[in-house]
C-alpha cells in the first residue's frame, strides 16, 4: 500500500509495433485502473533482449512505447512509467529469486517452449529465466494486482510460488500478487485468423492493426478482414471473424454487442467493416497526434523519464535491501 491505495504493476515489451489489440486489451485498461491503484508501468526492455534486437531500433521503440503510455492517458505525474533497464534492482532481485526457483518449474513454462521453437538458433538462458525477471519486476514493488493477458498467467503463477516460498522461509516479506485479467475488450483477434490473438509479432501484417497505421491502411485492413459465408451479423462463436469485428467496434464506441447486432441488422459485412475502420481511425488519429507531440517535446519526455526512474528506484531499492538482508548479505556501511 502507498497512501492507502493498492499497488499495481504491469509492463509491456518494446518489441514490434504496438497493435490495436495491445491498446484495447491492455493500455486502455491501464488508464482506467490508474485512479484506483498506485501504478507502476514499465517498458520492459530487459525482457526484450531475450530475442535478438537491433539496438537502435529497440531504443527508438522503447521511447515510442513510453510516449504511447502517456498519449493513451496515463498521467506520468501520478503513475510511475519507466524503463526497466534504468532500475538496476530488477537484475539484482532476479539473481536472488533465481536461487529460489526450480528448473522443474521453469521447464513447465509454455511460453519458453513456444519461443524456443520460434527462435531455435538462439535458445539463450535469458529466455529460460525470463519468468524470474518478471517475478522480480512484480515483487520489487510489492504489487497487489498485475493486469496481464491470458498468455502471461502462468508467469504470474510462478511469481506467486516464488514469493510464497520465500515468505515461508523468511517471514512475510513479499505481497502475493493477483492476476487481473481485463473483462472488456480483453482479447482482440487477428483480422486474418480470428482464432488467433492479434499480435505484434504476426508475420502477416494484414492480421494486425498497428497503432501507427495511417487512415487508408486501417480501412484497407478492415475491408480485408476474414469473415465467413453466412452473411449475417451476429455475435456468435461460430462466426469468429464477425464476432471480432463487433468486439473491436464495441471497444472503440463503448457500445454493447447486442446493441451493435441490432444496429447492423439486415446489413452486409461490407458496411460493418467500413464502420469498424472508421471507429478505429477515430481512436488512432488523435492518439498518433499525441504520441508525435510528446516525442517532439524532448525536454518534457526526458524529465519524465528521469523523475520516474528515480521514483521507481526508490521503491525498488527498499524491497531489495530488505531481501538482501533476509538472505544474509552483509550490511552496507556508509
Ligand atoms: N512478459 C510480459 C509480456 O510479454 C511483459 C512483462 C514483463 C510483465 N514483466 C512484467 C507484465 C511484469 C506484467 C508484470 O507481456
Amino acid at each position: 500500500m502507498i497512501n492507502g491505495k493498492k499497488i499495481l504493476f504491469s509492463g509491456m515489451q518494446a518489441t514490434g509495433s504496438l497493435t490495436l489489440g495491445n491498446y484495447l486489451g491492455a493500455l486502455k485498461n491501464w488508464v482506467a485502473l490508474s485512479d484506483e491503484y498506485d501504478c507502476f508501468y514499465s517498458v520492459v526492455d530487459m525482457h526484450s533482449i531475450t530475442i535478438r534486437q537491433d539496438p537502435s531500433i529497440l531504443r527508438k521503440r522503447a521511447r515510442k512505447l513510453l510516449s504511447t503510455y502517456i498519449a493513451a492517458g496515463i498521467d506520468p505525474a501520478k503513475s510511475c512509467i519507466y524503463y526497466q533497464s534504468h532500475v538496476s534492482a530488477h537484475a539484482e532481485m532476479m539473481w536472488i529469486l533465481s536461487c529460489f526457483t526450480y528448473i522443474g518449474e521453469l521447464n513447465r513454462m509454455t511460453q519458453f517452449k513456444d519461443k524456443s521453437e520460434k527462435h531455435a538458433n538462439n535458445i539463450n538462458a535469458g529466455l529460460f529465466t525470463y519468468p524470474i525477471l518478471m517475478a522480480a519486476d512484480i515483487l520489487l514493488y510489492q504489487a497487489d494486482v498485475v493486469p496481464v493477458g491470458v498468455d502471461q498467467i502462468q508467469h504470474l503463477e510462478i511469481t506467486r510460488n516464488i514469493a510464497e516460498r520465500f515468505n515461508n522461509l523468511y517471514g512475510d516479506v513479499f505481497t502475493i500478487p493477483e492476476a487481473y485479467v481485463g473483462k472488456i475488450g480483453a482479447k482482440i483477434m487477428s483480422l486474418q485468423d480470428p482464432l488467433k490473438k492479434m499480435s505484434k509479432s504476426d508475420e502477416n501484417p494484414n492480421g494486425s492493426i498497428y497503432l501507427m497505421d495511417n487512415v487508408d491502411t486501417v480501412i484497407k485492413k478492415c475491408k480485408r478482414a476474414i469473415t465467413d459465408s453466412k452473411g449475417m451479423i451476429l455475435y456468435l462463436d461460430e462466426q469468429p471473424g464477425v464476432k471480432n469485428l463487433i468486439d473491436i467496434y464495441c471497444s472503440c464506441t463503448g457500445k454493447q454487442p447486442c446493441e451493435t447486432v441490432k444496429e447492423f441488422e439486415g446489413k452486409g459485412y461490407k458496411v460493418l467493416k467500413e464502420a469498424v475502420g472508421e471507429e478505429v481511425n477515430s481512436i488512432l488519429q488523435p492518439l498518433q497526434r499525441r504520441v508525435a507531440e510528446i516525442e517532439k517535446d524532448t525536454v518534457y519526455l526526458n524529465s519524465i523519464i528521469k523523475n520516474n526512474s528515480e521514483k521507481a528506484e526508490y521503491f525498488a531499492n527498499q524491497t531489495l535491501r530488505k531481501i538482501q538482508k533476509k538472505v544474509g548479505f552483509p550490511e552496507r556501511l556508509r
Side-chain angles (χ1 to χ4, degrees):
M1 291 258 192
I2 308 173
N3 309 324
K5 279 191 186 173
K6 285 192 169 180
I7 301 170
L8 179 153
F9 186 98
S10 200
M12 260 189 222
Q13 294 209 43
T15 8
S17 304
L18 279 201
T19 69
L20 184 68
N22 298 125
Y23 176 71
L24 297 176
L27 253 188
K28 220 178 133 192
N29 281 332
W30 288 12
V31 179
L33 292 165
S34 64
D35 275 333
E36 195 182 334
Y37 296 95
D38 244 308
C39 301
F40 292 87
Y41 293 126
S42 187
V43 170
V44 292
D45 47 358
M46 289 163 71
H47 278 104
S48 294
I49 63 164
T50 52
I51 309 288
R52 271 309 160 255
Q53 303 293 334
D54 176 315
S56 68
I57 294 178
L58 178 62
R59 208 171 352 256
K60 275 200 200 103
R61 282 196 171 139
R63 197 166 167 97
K64 186 168 250 20
L65 182 55
L66 207 117
S67 309
T68 308
Y69 285 2
I70 304 170
I74 296 169
D75 179 357
K78 273 177 29 203
S79 301
C80 186
I81 55 176
Y82 72 100
Y83 296 124
Q84 184 188 32
S85 65
H86 281 189
V87 180
S88 55
H90 287 255
E92 295 179 72
M93 181 67 121
M94 182 201 173
W95 173 254
I96 297 177
L97 296 182
S98 71
C99 301
F100 295 85
T101 308
Y102 297 114
I103 298 281
E105 286 178 298
L106 293 173
N107 268 333
R108 287 197 293 272
M109 297 292 119
T110 55
Q111 190 175 78
F112 172 69
K113 288 176 203 162
D114 294 346
K115 287 195 179 172
S116 314
E117 271 170 35
K118 224 168 137 189
H119 305 277
N121 59 349
N122 180 22
I123 308 178
N124 61 72
L127 204 56
F128 189 59
T129 56
Y130 179 114
I132 313 176
L133 180 58
M134 193 159 150
D137 298 344
I138 296 166
L139 300 179
L140 269 178
Y141 299 92
Q142 304 285 11
D144 298 282
V145 288
V146 182
V148 282
V150 268
D151 58 320
Q152 296 296 316
I153 290 197
Q154 209 184 17
H155 291 162
L156 210 71
E157 279 306 312
I158 198 174
T159 301
R160 290 163 58 91
N161 291 340
I162 297 169
E164 275 164 7
R165 184 171 304 137
F166 201 94
N167 283 354
N168 284 337
L169 286 163
Y170 299 105
D172 279 344
V173 268
F174 287 129
T175 303
I176 309 297
E178 301 274 349
Y180 180 101
V181 185
K183 295 157 214 78
I184 28 158
K187 214 169 174 194
I188 302 296
M189 312 305 279
S190 158
L191 297 177
Q192 289 299 310
D193 179 358
L195 298 176
K196 235 176 55 187
K197 193 172 151 182
M198 185 181 282
S199 158
K200 25 185 191 175
S201 49
D202 198 335
E203 304 93 60
N204 183 352
N206 287 323
S208 305
I209 294 174
Y210 298 102
L211 293 193
M212 295 300 141
D213 276 348
N214 66 32
V215 172
D216 292 342
T217 308
V218 169
I219 301 282
K220 223 186 308 165
K221 285 181 178 175
C222 289
K223 255 189 200 152
R224 288 192 192 142
I226 300 290
T227 47
D228 51 60
S229 55
K230 294 204 170 68
M232 302 255 278
I233 299 179
L234 295 171
Y235 191 69
L236 299 171
D237 287 342
E238 296 91 82
Q239 292 179 254
V242 174
K243 186 167 184 255
N244 188 38
L245 288 171
I246 295 175
D247 276 332
I248 296 174
Y249 187 78
C250 290
S251 239
C252 292
T253 57
K255 291 180 184 167
Q256 294 298 320
C258 55
E259 236 179 299
T260 305
V261 167
K262 260 194 218 126
E263 187 179 334
F264 289 93
E265 202 180 320
K267 299 205 170 105
Y269 291 165
K270 188 165 169 259
V271 178
L272 175 65
K273 288 175 179 181
E274 280 168 3
V276 170
E278 272 170 33
E279 291 302 337
V280 170
N281 276 328
S282 72
I283 300 264
L284 295 193
Q285 285 301 303
L287 185 71
Q288 290 177 10
R289 279 196 293 274
R290 284 198 298 276
V291 171
E293 273 166 27
I294 292 162
E295 282 193 310
K296 229 171 68 190
D297 198 343
T298 317
V299 177
Y300 166 75
L301 191 53
N302 285 350
S303 78
I304 286 176
I305 291 170
K306 185 168 175 290
N307 293 339
N308 276 317
S309 69
E310 280 168 6
K311 183 173 158 191
E313 200 160 36
Y314 173 79
F315 284 103
N317 280 341
Q318 279 188 329
T319 308
L320 179 66
R321 297 291 171 255
K322 225 194 255 174
I323 298 311
Q324 287 171 328
K325 192 168 165 201
K326 289 283 178 193
V327 298
F329 292 170
E331 196 187 333
R332 290 177 179 236
L333 305 170
R334 316 199 166 265

